[in-house]
Amino acid sequence: MKRIALEEHFLTPELAGYIEETFQNVNKDLAAMAVPRLLDVGPERIEIMDQCGLDFAVLSIAGPGVQIEPDTKLAVRLAEKSNDDLAEIIAQKPDRYGGLAHLAMQDPKAAADELERCVKELKFQGAMVNGQTLGVYLDAPENEVFWERASALKAPIYIHPGNPVSKPVCFEGHPGLWGPFWSWGVETATHALRLILAGVFERHPDAKLILGHMGESLPFMTWRFDSRLPISYHPEPPLPQAPSYYLKKNVTCTTSGVFDDTPLHCALAGLGEDNVMYSIDYPFEAAADAGKWIESANVSESVKEKICSKNAESILLNLK
Ligand code: MN
């Protein structure tokens, strides 16, 4: 069964410095192991893909990349350069690698133009945004220009976890809470809910969001969202549909970093069987563990085929 994965990270030497932001959240051993693997897109990575049964990896810059760059012009220039570099990497192995665009959201119009260049000229599959950019989330009014373009291009936007600009007091005193163990999921799920409540998917019905980590817990929450929004302070203007409507229609997820049947079943039930895509989160997760798990995952063969390749082929651009 063909296998595609789409949260598979790499780094260019120029962007390598920005990952220090992420390394505040993971231990030194993981950080030391990750850097050489992120910089490698040659035979070693291909061998790991072969060993774990991965046919095709859609590559993305390991975050946060230029999203924490305060100089907008520099961020725009470095993002374009990294996309050009990725296009060259793909050209070396077009049967094994694809790509998600790296975008400087500091300038939403430039990000929209770069997204268009990446999917039309460089034939990328979509884009990845690493959470907030200098405190601005994707539901901000200035990002309307970006959603208009993404929606018109039918380009899926993958929101990858990152840190908020400041640490909320609830995370103080327990360093373990800050990062992949808990805070990244909270931050990213909140980002997705901001888009729903802001009506982004009402105004842009063709917009597609991708979340990693089995949907960052949102599939588990659908009933409560629908039950509790009516008694909460309504978004303005009010949403014509319940939150679960947008979760099923506009939100998709990957299995990145969650190799377990129970959350998989929840993601399939919460988002629908056409909206779950296999991913690993290389090199932060063991590719072999992901490969072994998906082979034995307790779902029908037809659903497994959707998860492993068919859904990616219909959601991502330029794959067929
Ligand atoms: Mn990741």
Side-chain angles (χ1 to χ4, degrees):
M1 191 180 286
K2 183 180 180 186
R3 232 178 270 169
I4 298 170
L6 54 137
E7 195 192 310
E8 316 314 320
H9 301 299
F10 80 112
L11 269 179
T12 61
E14 280 162 310
L15 296 190
Y18 293 110
I19 204 169
E20 290 304 319
E21 164 72 20
T22 300
F23 287 164
Q24 68 175 277
N25 305 98
V26 299
N27 72 34
K28 286 188 170 55
D29 292 344
L30 183 68
M33 177 278 291
V35 171
R37 290 188 168 194
L38 287 166
L39 292 168
D40 164 54
V41 287
E44 203 176 311
R45 183 183 287 250
I46 295 291
E47 196 185 321
I48 289 167
M49 287 171 62
D50 289 343
Q51 281 168 358
C52 76
L54 182 61
D55 296 288
F56 194 83
V58 181
L59 302 176
S60 53
I61 289 288
V66 302
Q67 284 185 247
I68 55 166
E69 174 52 57
D71 179 338
T72 297
K73 278 188 180 149
L74 178 61
V76 169
R77 184 155 52 79
L78 286 176
E80 286 176 8
K81 171 69 165 54
S82 80
N83 292 325
D84 288 339
D85 291 346
L86 178 52
E88 275 179 34
I89 291 164
I90 295 168
Q92 301 294 315
K93 291 262 174 217
D95 55 329
R96 305 304 299 273
Y97 291 149
L100 295 177
H102 188 53
L103 301 173
M105 296 310 305
Q106 290 89 336
D107 183 339
K109 164 73 165 60
D113 292 343
E114 180 63 359
L115 174 66
E116 182 158 349
R117 182 181 82 96
C118 287
V119 300
K120 282 193 172 168
E121 291 174 30
L122 307 183
K123 304 294 179 194
F124 286 5
Q125 278 66 56
M128 179 176 279
V129 177
N130 297 299
Q132 54 82 22
T133 303
L134 306 180
V136 178
Y137 289 80
L138 290 173
D139 61 298
E142 58 262 44
N143 281 317
E144 273 300 287
V145 62
F146 176 73
W147 285 112
E148 268 165 30
R149 198 79 64 88
S151 181
L153 293 165
K154 292 193 163 38
I157 306 301
Y158 200 133
I159 302 190
H160 186 276
N163 293 325
V165 283
S166 61
K167 189 189 280 188
V169 74
C170 63
F171 298 120
E172 294 292 350
H174 294 277
L177 288 173
W178 189 239
F181 175 83
W182 188 242
S183 74
W184 284 355
V186 174
E187 165 79 5
T188 312
T190 306
H191 199 159
L193 291 173
R194 290 179 67 104
L195 294 170
I196 291 174
L197 295 187
V200 168
F201 302 122
E202 254 321 293
R203 294 190 297 282
H204 309 288
D206 288 333
K208 269 279 186 232
L209 197 68
I210 307 174
L211 298 174
H213 315 105
M214 291 294 187
E216 310 289 4
S217 81
L218 294 179
F220 185 78
M221 294 292 292
T222 53
W223 190 90
R224 184 160 172 83
F225 289 147
D226 292 355
S227 153
R228 294 298 87 183
L229 189 63
I231 60 96
S232 302
Y233 287 101
H234 283 263
E236 199 51 58
L239 288 174
Q241 304 285 347
S244 64
Y245 170 87
Y246 305 102
L247 281 167
K248 282 185 192 291
K249 184 169 174 291
N250 301 96
V251 179
T252 66
C253 80
T254 73
T255 66
S256 68
V258 184
F259 313 136
D260 187 30
D261 285 2
T262 302
L264 174 65
H265 293 150
C266 186
L268 290 165
L271 303 184
E273 64 181 43
D274 296 330
N275 290 324
V276 180
M277 298 176 277
Y278 178 69
S279 289
I280 300 169
D281 199 2
Y282 180 86
F284 301 103
E285 298 284 345
D289 292 350
K292 264 186 229 143
W293 165 69
I294 196 65
E295 260 166 46
S296 63
N298 185 22
V299 289
S300 71
E301 284 300 291
S302 66
V303 168
K304 195 177 288 187
E305 195 171 23
K306 285 185 172 190
I307 296 167
C308 284
S309 65
K310 298 284 180 209
N311 290 343
E313 285 170 347
S314 74
I315 293 164
L316 303 181
L317 300 179
N318 302 313
L319 269 186
K320 275 188 168 170

